[in-house]
Amino acid sequence: CPTLSPPTLSYAGPARLEDLNLWQMEKAKTTKKGSKTYLYWMASWREGGKVRNVHLGSCRKVDYETALQKAWKLKAKALGMSAN
C-alpha cells in the first residue's frame, strides 16, 4: 500500500487529518433468494467527546486510496479547516 499524505490545510488546533480510522463495514441483506453480504468503506474520528462515523462508498466502486482522500476531505470540512 503506497504511503499517502493528507492535503495541506491551515488550521490552528489540536485535531489532525491523520487521526482517523478507515475500516470496512459488512452488511448482510436477506431476500427471498437468500442472503448476500456487501462491504462499505467507513471512516471514524473524534469530534468533541463523540466518535463520528462517515460512510465513504462501496468497496466495489471505491478503492482504499480514494476512500482515504475522501475521508480527509470530509474531516477537514467537519473541523472547519480551509485549504491553502
Side-chain angles (χ1 to χ4, degrees), residues 26-81:
E26 186 175 302
K27 190 161 201 163
K29 294 192 178 186
T30 307
T31 63
K32 290 184 206 177
K33 295 181 179 180
S35 67
K36 189 166 182 173
T37 57
Y38 298 94
L39 292 173
Y40 297 98
W41 286 112
M42 298 289 290
S44 303
W45 63 82
R46 285 205 161 283
E47 279 186 18
K50 297 185 178 185
V51 174
R52 181 170 179 189
N53 294 312
V54 179
H55 177 268
L56 301 171
S58 170
C59 288
R60 282 184 173 180
K61 297 178 183 177
V62 180
D63 64 344
Y64 176 83
E65 288 82 16
T66 308
L68 189 58
Q69 292 288 335
K70 189 173 182 180
W72 282 334
K73 287 181 184 177
L74 289 171
K75 183 174 181 183
K77 185 177 178 184
L79 296 175
M81 296 179 174

Side-chain angles (χ1 to χ4, degrees), residues 10-37:
S10 62
Y11 181 72
R16 295 180 53 95
L17 289 181
E18 299 90 3
D19 294 339
L20 61 82
N21 196 16
L22 193 64
W23 51 283
Q24 291 180 347
M25 178 179 69
E26 186 175 302
K27 190 161 201 163
K29 294 192 178 186
T30 307
T31 63
K32 290 184 206 177
K33 295 181 179 180
S35 67
K36 189 166 182 173
T37 57

